[in-house]
């Protein structure tokens, strides 16, 4: 199903016909696979432009590691890390910019600096006022499922519905239109075993019942390492395999560290789907 995702600053992104790749830009010293590589603005900009050249339509800028056990940072620290690179990318124009944050004030400043999308790994539930910030700016919003800091239901899809429906209620109460929303099932975020993540992949198509475009964020996750036996920085091929599987199950966007291999894998997937006479839209 083709849908138009409405974003801040009068921008939009058409989803459905072609897979869309979001490049991960962690401007942090301690992210799980690339911490410290891009925490200086010049290196961050170079990496962002490399990902755009490789085919990323969106650059997702994050200033606080979300890996398990990572030390939290203050809002000021986060903002000092992300705002300079967002400003530099916005001045260049063209690329869409996402801010990876759960903090309302960081989101407000990032959107003012030129970001188009708010990507909240706490699904608007850590600081619900972030939904009001996104609504006022007309931003696109990625609402992610997480199992952290709460009791989960045993069934992986039932738990997705439980959490995401609460998030959607927050979004709608704040005035975020449905055409601004993408959902992310949050692979790896307190999905405690490889099996739980693999079941979520296998049943991914059931999430279409929620009625929104879906983002897949499997990049370099631990469950890929469990299956392949590879360390985080060596999981590009495994990640690309998950991207293909999830595209076949109807995912629209793919948040990845290694852009080129995923762009190529998804291009082949889309080319095959375009020639499938019995293709059914999810």
């Amino acid at each position: 199903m083709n849908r138009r995702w409405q974003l801040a600053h009068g921008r939009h992104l058409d989803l459905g016909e072609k897979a869309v790749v979001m490049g991960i830009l962690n401007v942090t010293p301690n992210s799980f696979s690339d911490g410290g590589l891009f925490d200086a603005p010049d290196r961050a900009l170079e990496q962002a432009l490399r990902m755009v050249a490789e085919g990323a339509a969106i650059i997702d800028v994050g200033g606080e590691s979300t890996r398990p056990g990572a030390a939290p940072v203050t809002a000021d620290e986060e903002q000092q890390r992300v705002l300079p690179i967002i400003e530099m990318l916005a001045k260049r124009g063209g690329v869409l910019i996402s801010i990876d944050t759960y903090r309302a004030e960081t989101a407000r400043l990032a959107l003012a600096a030129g970001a188009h999308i708010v990507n909240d790994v706490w699904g608007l539930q850590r600081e619900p006022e972030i939904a009001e910030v996104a609504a006022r700016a007309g931003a696109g919003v990625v609402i992610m499922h997480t199992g952290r800091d709460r009791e989960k239901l045993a069934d992986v899809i039932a738990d997705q519905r439980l959490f995401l429906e609460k998030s959607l209620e927050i979004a709608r109460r704040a005035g975020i239109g449905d055409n601004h929303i993408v959902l992310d099932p949050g692979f790896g975020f307190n999905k405690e075993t490889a099996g739980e993540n693999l079941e979520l992949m296998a049943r991914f198509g059931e999430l279409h019942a929620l009625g929104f475009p879906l983002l897949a964020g499997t990049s370099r996750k631990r469950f890929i390492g469990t299956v392949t036996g590879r360390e985080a920085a060596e999981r590009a091929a495994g990640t690309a395999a998950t991207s293909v599987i999830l595209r076949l199950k109807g995912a629209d966007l793919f948040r990845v560290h290694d852009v080129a291999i995923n762009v190529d894998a998804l291009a082949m997937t889309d080319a095959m789907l375009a020639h499938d006479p019995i293709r059914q839209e999810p």
Side-chain angles (χ1 to χ4, degrees):
M1 181 185 300
N2 295 334
R3 287 175 281 197
R4 177 159 289 184
W5 189 21
Q6 297 293 342
L7 313 175
H9 309 295
R11 300 289 297 275
H12 68 267
L13 195 56
D14 289 326
L15 304 175
E17 185 176 350
K18 297 290 185 182
V20 174
V21 171
M22 172 187 282
I24 299 169
L25 185 62
N26 289 319
V27 287
T28 60
N30 61 339
S31 290
F32 78 97
S33 70
D34 57 0
L37 295 179
F38 312 117
D39 54 349
D42 57 342
R43 291 201 300 271
L45 180 61
E46 181 182 354
Q47 174 65 2
L49 296 177
R50 179 183 301 113
M51 290 191 290
V52 171
E54 290 175 348
I58 306 166
I59 300 298
D60 189 45
V61 183
E64 180 173 2
S65 175
T66 57
R67 66 178 174 82
V73 302
T74 66
D76 283 345
E77 286 177 293
E78 180 188 39
Q79 291 155 21
Q80 288 170 14
R81 292 172 180 177
V82 301
L83 293 177
I85 185 62
I86 290 172
E87 290 169 356
M88 286 189 287
L89 286 171
K91 285 179 182 176
R92 287 178 171 264
V95 67
L96 294 170
I97 306 164
S98 170
I99 174 63
D100 177 0
T101 188
Y102 59 85
R103 292 187 174 93
E105 180 63 8
T106 300
R108 185 186 70 80
L109 292 171
L111 291 165
H116 306 91
I117 299 160
V118 175
N119 178 18
D120 185 352
V121 299
W122 288 93
L124 311 180
Q125 296 187 33
R126 182 80 172 263
E127 291 191 13
E129 55 269 35
I130 197 172
E132 297 170 9
V133 169
R136 285 195 297 270
V141 180
V142 178
I143 296 174
M144 197 195 81
H145 172 280
T146 184
R148 292 181 181 175
D149 296 346
R150 65 182 184 85
E151 291 292 324
K152 296 188 300 178
L153 299 180
D155 183 87
V156 295
I157 300 299
D159 194 70
Q160 290 279 329
R161 291 196 189 102
L162 176 71
F163 182 90
L164 292 172
E165 285 171 0
K166 180 178 179 181
S167 295
L168 289 167
E169 181 182 346
I170 293 168
R172 287 163 175 159
R173 194 164 57 239
I176 299 174
D178 285 2
N179 60 345
H180 289 258
I181 296 172
V182 164
L183 300 181
D184 176 356
F187 287 97
F189 280 77
N190 210 37
K191 283 69 173 177
E192 295 169 3
T193 65
E196 189 173 349
N197 285 281
L198 292 167
E199 182 182 353
L200 183 56
M201 283 184 63
R203 298 178 63 189
F204 190 86
E206 296 177 47
L207 298 174
H208 293 296
L210 291 165
F212 292 89
L214 298 172
L215 182 150
T218 58
S219 188
R220 300 183 182 176
K221 296 287 183 171
R222 181 169 55 185
F223 79 95
I224 296 175
T226 300
V227 172
T228 64
R230 298 194 180 276
E231 296 300 319
E234 300 172 338
R235 295 173 189 164
T239 298
T242 67
S243 294
V244 170
I245 293 165
L246 292 168
R247 181 59 176 162
L248 293 173
K249 291 181 175 290
D252 296 288
L253 299 105
F254 300 82
R255 182 179 180 273
V256 302
H257 297 84
D258 304 289
V259 169
I261 188 173
N262 283 277
V263 165
D264 286 357
L266 289 164
M268 289 302 303
T269 310
D270 284 338
M272 182 277 293
L273 289 172
H275 287 80
D276 183 355
I278 59 171
R279 181 185 181 188
Q280 298 294 318
E281 293 292 351

